[in-house]
Amino acid sequence: MEITIPHYYKRFRCIASECPDTCCAGWAIMIDDKTLKKYKKIRGTFGRTVRASINWKEKSFRQRKGRCAFLNKENLCELYLEGGSDYFCRTCRRYPRHIEEFEDCREISLSLSCMAAARIILGSREKVRFLRREIPVRREEDYKDFDYFLFTNLLDVREAVFEILQNRTMDAGTRSCMALALVHDFQGRIQGQRLGETQELLERYRKPETADWFRKDVEQYREGSQRDTAFQMFRILKRMEVLQENWPEELWQARRMLYSRSGEEYQAMREAWKESCRNSGVDLENLREQLMVYYTYTYFAGAVYDGQAYGKIKMASAAARLTEELAMARWKAQQETLTQEDFLWTAHRLSKEIEHSDPNLIALERQLVPFGLTEFFRLMA
């Protein structure tokens, strides 16, 4: 089996009680069957405490005020303090590692919802590289009806998308639009059962004159207000399952800060925000690149299961833009100041809401269907 990881993967170290947030609150922590059997065998007073702290029907840890029953006042895990990592369930051992499974390969990433991981993912100025190696497998997984030809085409297109997103001779907006256009065209090949034309498509997008054309064409989408389209996209967040208790209030405040003004006022605010970020050392160009690469790497290849490659790149683009919208609202609320750490916190908060709920991921992709390529160009340019 081939394993793929981003080059920064092994840099991760949990910062435990020093973390400004905790991964043990705000969502249900599911327990695998093997660990449940282990918990049943723990003896003594602590064993009774463990068993009383589990919802055996749901196979999850009980919560107290939205926090795992084992999370103490210092934000440390009592299970770990008592028995070390051997007492962790599979979910706790893996987090913030995220795994996507495919036939004969596995792709592993760090999750942006973890602040320590977010600092690595978005704090890097390097272009992300992906490292691959072969490992032996004990047993073969059965992937019925896995479309390997589609999968290899998806990987080829994703590689081209990475090349575009990391082409720093173009601004981040132009790169995002070009990546969207490529996958839009590729989706037509999927639906028309013309995957044999994929390499020809990629060759066209790799020509220098294609990048030159996009540099010129994208300029027209930077004129006028983005407010209405941004607001329509922002409203999707309101329709999602809430994972963090104070998230609805955060969204309401952001909505008031951003959209209770005219299109011209919104656009002026966005330009002032960009200028403020430049002056304070917040590199929006690099942050957009890293966000787009992160979300594309994590979800794009999953289109092998539903054929919706364009939906996956739209989801990546929406997540990047919504992160910017929420960061801009935070900047406004803080008397027009924003630090790199503020931006990372915002990205982490949004990821925590979107990425740890399958219904939210599905809802985001589905509700982006009415947004066409032109609307995305207007937002991402």
Side-chain angles (χ1 to χ4, degrees):
M1 174 179 285
E2 183 179 78
I3 300 293
T4 303
I5 58 173
H7 76 273
Y8 52 70
Y9 178 78
K10 293 185 179 180
R11 295 181 193 169
F12 173 77
R13 297 291 182 275
C14 177
I15 56 178
S17 60
E18 295 178 17
C19 187
D21 198 1
T22 175
C23 54
C24 305
W27 48 44
I29 300 173
M30 308 309 293
I31 310 170
D32 57 283
D33 290 339
K34 183 178 179 181
T35 307
L36 282 172
K37 291 178 182 178
K38 181 188 292 186
Y39 290 157
K40 287 180 180 178
K41 296 177 182 178
I42 299 175
R43 297 183 178 182
T45 303
F46 188 70
R48 289 192 290 274
T49 300
V50 169
R51 287 184 283 279
S53 301
I54 294 172
N55 182 328
W56 293 92
K57 183 178 180 181
E58 299 293 332
K59 296 184 178 181
S60 65
F61 292 114
R62 296 188 185 279
Q63 293 192 338
R64 300 192 182 103
K65 295 182 179 180
R67 292 163 60 90
C68 176
F70 289 102
L71 187 64
N72 65 23
K73 293 179 180 179
E74 288 75 39
N75 278 345
L76 296 174
C77 175
E78 294 290 352
L79 271 174
Y80 181 82
L81 295 175
E82 180 71 23
S85 59
D86 285 345
Y87 275 9
F88 277 167
C89 63
R90 184 185 302 154
T91 302
C92 296
R93 281 197 305 272
R94 282 184 174 179
Y95 186 79
R97 297 157 188 88
H98 175 85
I99 301 174
E100 291 287 324
E101 302 274 1
F102 305 102
E103 185 175 349
D104 296 329
C105 68
R106 180 179 296 158
E107 298 192 337
I108 311 175
S109 59
L110 298 177
S111 177
L112 198 59
S113 60
C114 166
M115 270 300 288
R119 287 170 180 160
I120 296 170
I121 296 165
L122 300 184
S124 175
R125 301 281 178 156
E126 300 175 70
K127 296 178 181 180
V128 182
R129 305 183 309 280
F130 296 98
L131 312 178
R132 295 174 176 84
R133 65 186 177 95
E134 292 286 337
I135 63 166
V137 290
R138 294 179 182 177
R139 61 176 183 175
E140 293 290 334
E141 296 289 340
D142 184 16
Y143 288 84
K144 292 182 179 179
D145 303 321
F146 188 86
D147 190 337
Y148 202 78
F149 185 51
L150 172 59
F151 185 62
T152 55
N153 276 270
L154 283 164
L155 295 187
D156 287 345
V157 171
R158 190 180 65 176
E159 188 64 34
V161 168
F162 289 153
E163 290 172 18
I164 292 168
L165 294 175
Q166 295 179 330
N167 181 358
R168 295 176 180 177
T169 66
M170 296 187 284
D171 65 85
T174 302
R175 288 181 257 167
S176 298
C177 292
M178 190 171 173
L180 279 157
L182 167 57
V183 183
H184 171 272
D185 292 351
F186 174 59
Q187 186 68 45
R189 272 76 179 163
I190 295 176
Q191 291 174 249
Q193 298 183 342
R194 295 180 289 123
L195 289 177
E197 299 175 11
T198 299
Q199 294 307 314
E200 180 185 348
L201 176 68
L202 296 182
E203 287 174 14
R204 176 154 56 87
Y205 270 84
R206 284 182 167 125
K207 290 179 179 179
E209 53 265 35
T210 304
D212 292 339
W213 184 86
F214 270 94
R215 286 188 186 94
K216 296 174 184 176
D217 187 63
V218 164
E219 288 301 320
Q220 65 181 296
Y221 297 100
R222 292 181 174 138
E223 300 174 2
S225 174
Q226 303 172 350
R227 181 219 179 257
D228 292 346
T229 307
F231 180 40
Q232 291 302 315
M233 184 176 288
F234 186 89
R235 290 175 64 186
I236 295 173
L237 297 176
K238 180 72 174 175
R239 306 179 193 125
M240 292 183 177
E241 174 188 14
V242 175
L243 301 185
Q244 300 164 96
E245 186 177 0
N246 56 350
W247 181 245
E249 174 66 18
E250 194 169 324
L251 288 182
W252 184 85
Q253 292 289 353
R255 175 175 174 164
R256 184 175 61 84
M257 288 286 178
L258 298 175
Y259 309 115
S260 60
R261 58 192 73 232
S262 69
E264 291 75 14
E265 290 171 325
Y266 169 89
Q267 208 62 26
M269 178 180 64
R270 184 164 173 80
E271 293 305 316
W273 172 64
K274 290 180 180 179
E275 182 63 25
S276 177
C277 288
R278 283 190 288 269
N279 294 336
S280 60
V282 178
D283 188 350
L284 291 177
E285 289 283 295
N286 183 64
L287 289 166
R288 169 80 71 86
E289 174 187 315
Q290 303 298 354
L291 281 168
M292 288 290 294
V293 170
Y294 165 79
Y295 280 109
T296 301
Y297 171 65
T298 306
Y299 298 107
F300 187 78
V304 70
Y305 297 117
D306 63 9
Q308 298 302 314
Y310 186 42
K312 304 298 183 292
I313 197 68
K314 288 206 291 184
M315 188 170 69
S317 303
R321 178 57 192 252
L322 288 168
T323 301
E324 293 180 25
E325 291 292 291
L326 290 166
M328 184 164 64
R330 188 177 181 88
W331 164 81
K332 192 68 177 175
Q334 296 177 166
Q335 285 73 52
E336 301 191 353
T337 60
L338 189 83
T339 65
Q340 177 84 357
E341 189 73 2
D342 289 332
F343 193 100
L344 300 185
W345 175 262
T346 303
H348 137 83
R349 291 279 289 169
L350 181 61
S351 168
K352 203 169 182 179
E353 282 295 318
I354 292 175
E355 295 197 82
H356 294 277
S357 164
D358 286 339
N360 282 353
L361 284 168
I362 293 167
L364 177 59
E365 186 172 343
R366 284 180 179 172
Q367 292 183 56
L368 288 171
V369 169
F371 289 77
L373 190 59
T374 299
E375 290 169 297
F376 265 97
F377 275 14
R378 187 176 298 114
L379 283 173
M380 306 305 289

